[in-house]
Amino acid sequence: MFERRVVAAWAVFGGIAAVSAALVWRRPDAQRLSDLHIYYGAAKFDGPLYDYVAENGGPFTYPPFAMVLFRPLSMLPEATLGVLWLAMTCAAVIAIARTVTRSSTAARTAPGTATRTAPGTATRTAPGTAAHTASGTAPGTAPGTAARIAPGTAAHTAPGTAAHTAARIAPGAAARTRTAPGAATATGTTAQSGGGAGSRFFTRGLMAAGVATALLVSAPVQSNLRFGQVSIFIVLLALVDAGQVVPARFRGTLVGVAAAIKLTPLLFVVYFLVARRYKDAARAGAAFVACAGVAAVLMPGASVRYWGGTIFQTSRIGDLASLGNQSVHGMLLRIGLSPATLPVVWAVLIAAICGAALLRARALHLHGDPVRAAVLVGCATVAASPVSWTHHQVWTVLAAMLLVAAEGAWRRVAGVVLLVVMTLSLGVVLRGVALYPGWQFLLENARSLGLVAVCVAGVGGAALRLDRRVRLRTTRRIAVAAVAGLAALALTPLPAGADPTFKAYEADDLTNPRYFYFNGAPAAGEPIAYMIRREKTKVRVNGVVGAEVAGLRYTSAPGGAARSIPLLEAEAGVRTFSFRSANLSHGRLDVLDASGEVAASFTNLA
């Protein structure tokens, strides 16, 4: 029975993986595995590595060592490599799921194996296990405890909370627990009522299949599949290394290799130092330097160019203000901070966010939960990086699933919400119901905000043991503060920078019928005439202006800086304009006269 359920769960994963791969393969050639196409083309390129630009316009942006690894793969035909890459991506998802569930099942009993004991019954615990006794106690027992333990055992109970008993019991010794009727006794091993090693293996297999399936359908993993991205392998390397899955003498090495392929895992070196894993930090630094050295020997010109300046050219990566970039830096760009203010605000926020994440990760490590610690540090790398596209955000999905598995209703609800956010794009799904620019901003930046919340609040585990009433009061205060903060942000007028979709079209675009589709003239007494076309993720406005109009400017949201709209000569005597925006609900189009003053405003464009 157990084995059939595990096989069925993995069959569901396999079916979704096959469908996902088939959908990727059905995409047009120009859109199928587009990032893998860049890697492949750059590996075949004869000129300077960082001069390469693929047919889809994408340059090669990774450190030179990444190309040292890609070049052997380029010996395969590109189609064969594409199939292999999809299979490797699915295999990496399975490996990540098994790593995450490895620590979870080690401290839990299989579902349904907790024993219900009548008052006065005895439960035998194996040597070295921890007995966790429910809070219900039989009459006459000490407050908060329900266990009479053999001499030499260690008991730790917090006043008013469930008794947490860490028992070191000699082989064959029995811990007699008195529990109220219906109370459950859960131990680190399986109780005598059933289970055993088979139950644990069943639980671990079923959990791994569930986590792998949830990962697979999430937006970050689907993005890895669609683009043929390397990000999923970076996550796997850092997770198994920082999560202490690899043997102790090798720990840190895989983080160094991952950082040589993509720089963001370097934050794990800082984590090793904070957690006093000094040998791991040394091995990570040595591996990173060694990989960079290998690349310097094999590709000296590319290495000099990358480390000498290309590393700082973030504009090569794409439009960092677009919604796909869900890092803190991307969110600040969309808010519209001035170029002078942005670096300072970003540096302060990142220092606070990463500092909180690293301290929480250190606490998790000290409490024997290195996998949770690794996931938390991974989330900090996504928050700290100047650019975090969807395929980078696998860490956030893992954090959401750890929250779902954590103790406490608030954490579980938060985990479910975050998992939904990481699977669906709320900014697109709920675009039609946005009532104010602030609400739209929250929806479009939900992944950034959820990521920050994870870094600051943690993913469960290693929590302070507080009195139940104190814990409830603290939880309420945090919840009220969070809701108040989100409400304030939602109601705050946002600048025009919060509309990353905005673009005003130039003379070179005049021949494109998607942008310029309106023919006509302004009505008598009207300065402009225009027509609106709605698309799935944007709205286009195309029109003409009268002779008295000297200029146009558009403001996406109240309080924002206005953007100039070019007036173009489509033909003799006809001046036209065209622009696009995410949402016209709160936009304002100003018509300027010859003196630069506002002659008319249009606020109900939609």
Side-chain angles (χ1 to χ4, degrees), residues 78-95:
E78 187 171 2
T80 303
L81 178 59
V83 173
L84 177 61
W85 198 271
L86 291 173
M88 290 168 56
T89 300
C90 293
V93 170
I94 294 173

Side-chain angles (χ1 to χ4, degrees), residues 20-38 40 56 78-83 85-86 223-229:
S20 299
L23 291 175
V24 169
W25 213 255
R26 285 173 58 89
R27 293 170 68 86
D29 290 346
Q31 300 176 20
R32 182 196 311 143
L33 301 173
S34 54
D35 286 354
L36 182 61
H37 179 70
I38 294 174
Y40 190 86
N56 57 19
E78 187 171 2
T80 303
L81 178 59
V83 173
W85 198 271
L86 291 173
S223 182
N224 271 273
L225 286 167
R226 185 166 60 252
F227 293 109
Q229 251 291 330

Side-chain angles (χ1 to χ4, degrees), residues 72 94 152 166 198 215 247 325 372 484 492 549:
I94 294 173
L215 264 175
N325 180 16
R372 282 182 186 269
T492 300
V549 177

Side-chain angles (χ1 to χ4, degrees), residues 300-529:
S303 296
V304 170
R305 182 169 173 180
Y306 181 81
W307 299 110
T310 302
I311 183 176
F312 302 109
Q313 295 175 4
T314 55
S315 60
R316 300 178 75 247
I317 302 173
D319 180 11
L320 302 189
S322 68
L323 290 176
N325 180 16
Q326 288 287 306
S327 67
V328 173
H329 183 253
M331 183 167 58
L332 294 176
L333 283 171
R334 290 188 287 275
I335 287 176
L337 293 180
S338 68
T341 305
L342 177 62
V344 177
V345 174
W346 177 72
V348 171
L349 285 176
I350 290 304
I353 291 167
C354 289
L358 290 173
L359 289 176
R360 286 190 173 275
R362 178 178 180 271
L364 288 166
H365 168 69
L366 293 177
H367 281 75
D369 203 343
V371 172
R372 282 182 186 269
V375 171
L376 193 53
V377 178
C379 289
T381 67
V382 178
S385 175
V387 53
S388 295
W389 303 122
T390 304
H391 52 77
H392 297 155
Q393 298 158 24
V394 178
W395 292 112
T396 317
V397 183
L398 295 177
M401 287 188 283
L402 288 177
L403 284 170
V404 171
E407 294 182 0
W410 282 99
R411 287 195 183 99
R412 291 171 182 168
V413 170
V416 171
V417 171
L418 187 57
L419 202 54
V420 170
V421 166
M422 296 309 301
T423 303
L424 303 174
S425 177
L426 297 185
V428 174
V429 173
L430 301 178
R431 185 181 300 275
V433 300
L435 301 177
Y436 195 81
W439 291 111
Q440 186 69 30
F441 182 83
L442 286 182
L443 295 176
E444 292 174 345
N445 294 274
R447 292 175 183 171
S448 295
L449 295 168
L451 179 66
V452 171
V454 164
C455 292
V456 174
V459 290
L464 293 176
R465 301 186 185 280
L466 302 174
D467 179 86
R468 180 178 177 82
R469 287 173 294 181
V470 174
R471 193 164 63 243
L472 287 174
R473 281 201 305 271
T474 303
T475 301
R476 287 195 202 101
R477 289 171 182 171
I478 293 173
V480 170
V483 171
L486 291 175
L489 179 59
L491 297 174
T492 300
L494 296 175
D499 181 8
T501 305
F502 177 86
K503 181 178 180 180
Y505 294 102
E506 305 284 349
D508 292 342
D509 303 309
L510 278 171
T511 57
N512 193 325
R514 289 188 63 200
Y515 309 151
F516 293 91
Y517 48 81
F518 177 73
N519 292 312
E526 292 291 334
I528 65 172

